[in-house]
Amino acid sequence: MDLLLVRHGVSEHNTSDVISGGTSKPNLSQAGVKQVEEVSKIIDNNKIDQVYASPLIRAKRTAQILTDFQKDIITDDRLKEMDFGSWEGQHAEELKVKYPDAFDDLGTINSKYTKYAKNGETFEQVADRVEEFLAEIQPYSNDKTIMVVCHGFVIRSLIARWFKLKIEDVMTVRNVSFTELHFEKDDIERPRLMTFNRTEPLYYGTKR
């Protein structure tokens, strides 16, 4: 299976310092829509066999625009962004002042945030649910190219899990970025990382 992980376009919360997780529902900003439309010009739908997306509107709409509304988009709750619990909808800058150890030196939420966010999901829990989803679809996808449009912390959690890294060692995932992986048949635990955090795909789904 060839897997193309894509983070959604810039949302209304991405530009307003608001923490936006699995229960937040901002739409794409106008700039985000234009960004996705530009990237869609290089996507070859004929090279993509199936598209899955988080049901959150910022991800689903990205998937639709990215594929020129030419593909059926299958949504799955397991692809939602990490649930930040009581931190959902709060301003990140205010929380950085109160809980500096919950952020890395680049200002990104790290694994210590669950000490302060009530009912916040861990990175391990995110990776568990997305791996469950991938294991479920893989028997039908071994020889296919699959696009999954989801969220930044989802992608970081998976990369950390698969390559045995601390989440703090995986950089922030850019909006509308592409991370490409290859899985051997029936092996969901040992992917080959082809590209990470690119502004356009290199191996899968691009017009070349």
Side-chain angles (χ1 to χ4, degrees), residues 1-60:
M1 177 173 70
D2 295 324
L3 179 64
L4 186 55
L5 297 174
V6 188
R7 186 187 176 196
H8 62 80
V10 175
S11 75
E12 295 163 339
H13 284 181
N14 291 150
T15 57
S16 59
D17 187 45
V18 174
I19 293 176
S20 186
T23 63
S24 300
K25 300 178 181 179
N27 208 330
L28 296 179
S29 66
Q30 290 185 348
V33 170
K34 291 181 180 179
Q35 178 188 30
V36 181
E37 287 175 341
E38 282 300 308
V39 178
S40 72
K41 296 174 183 178
I42 65 170
I43 298 299
D44 187 346
N45 286 321
N46 294 321
K47 294 181 179 179
I48 299 171
D49 297 298
Q50 185 62 65
V51 182
Y52 296 91
S54 157
L56 297 176
I57 186 62
R58 57 193 186 273
K60 183 177 180 180

Side-chain angles (χ1 to χ4, degrees), residues 69-84:
F69 296 87
Q70 299 300 308
K71 291 284 187 180
D72 291 330
I73 311 297
I74 300 174
T75 59
D76 194 292
D77 283 349
R78 290 169 291 186
L79 299 175
K80 285 183 177 180
E81 179 60 295
M82 186 160 71
D83 186 342
F84 294 104

Side-chain angles (χ1 to χ4, degrees), residues 171-189:
M171 69 178 290
T172 300
V173 179
R174 293 189 293 263
N175 292 101
V176 202
S177 66
F178 297 82
T179 294
E180 298 165 284
L181 303 110
H182 173 77
F183 294 83
E184 296 296 327
K185 186 176 182 179
D186 298 323
D187 187 355
I188 200 65
E189 297 180 356

Side-chain angles (χ1 to χ4, degrees), residues 2 17 41 63 71 85 88-89 94 98-100 104 122-123 140 149 153-154 167 176 178 190 205:
D2 295 324
D17 187 45
K41 296 174 183 178
K71 291 284 187 180
E88 291 271 344
E94 295 176 3
K98 292 181 180 178
Y99 315 111
D104 63 24
T122 67
F123 288 100
Y140 314 100
V149 183
F153 283 90
V154 170
I167 193 66
V176 202
F178 297 82
R190 295 188 301 166

Side-chain angles (χ1 to χ4, degrees), residues 41-175:
K41 296 174 183 178
I42 65 170
I43 298 299
D44 187 346
N45 286 321
N46 294 321
K47 294 181 179 179
I48 299 171
D49 297 298
Q50 185 62 65
V51 182
Y52 296 91
S54 157
L56 297 176
I57 186 62
R58 57 193 186 273
K60 183 177 180 180
R61 192 177 180 196
T62 295
Q64 292 171 329
I65 299 171
L66 205 58
T67 57
D68 293 324
F69 296 87
Q70 299 300 308
K71 291 284 187 180
D72 291 330
I73 311 297
I74 300 174
T75 59
D76 194 292
D77 283 349
R78 290 169 291 186
L79 299 175
K80 285 183 177 180
E81 179 60 295
M82 186 160 71
D83 186 342
F84 294 104
S86 60
W87 279 23
E88 291 271 344
Q90 296 199 47
H91 288 277
E93 287 302 322
E94 295 176 3
L95 292 171
K96 288 175 191 176
V97 174
K98 292 181 180 178
Y99 315 111
D101 63 323
F103 295 83
D104 63 24
D105 61 354
L106 297 177
T108 304
I109 293 172
N110 65 34
S111 58
K112 295 178 182 178
Y113 96 96
T114 53
K115 294 192 302 181
Y116 312 108
K118 185 178 180 180
N119 298 321
E121 212 177 1
T122 67
F123 288 100
E124 290 77 14
Q125 288 171 324
V126 174
D128 284 345
R129 59 176 162 84
V130 182
E131 276 195 328
E132 179 185 88
F133 161 79
L134 292 172
E136 186 176 294
I137 70 169
Q138 191 176 37
Y140 314 100
S141 308
N142 273 317
D143 300 319
K144 296 180 179 180
T145 297
I146 305 298
M147 177 185 286
V148 174
V149 183
C150 51
H151 306 271
F153 283 90
V154 170
I155 297 171
R156 291 180 71 214
S157 297
L158 287 172
I159 294 300
R161 165 71 59 83
W162 285 332
F163 297 98
K164 297 177 173 59
L165 300 170
K166 293 180 180 179
I167 193 66
E168 290 81 7
D169 296 331
V170 182
M171 69 178 290
T172 300
V173 179
R174 293 189 293 263
N175 292 101

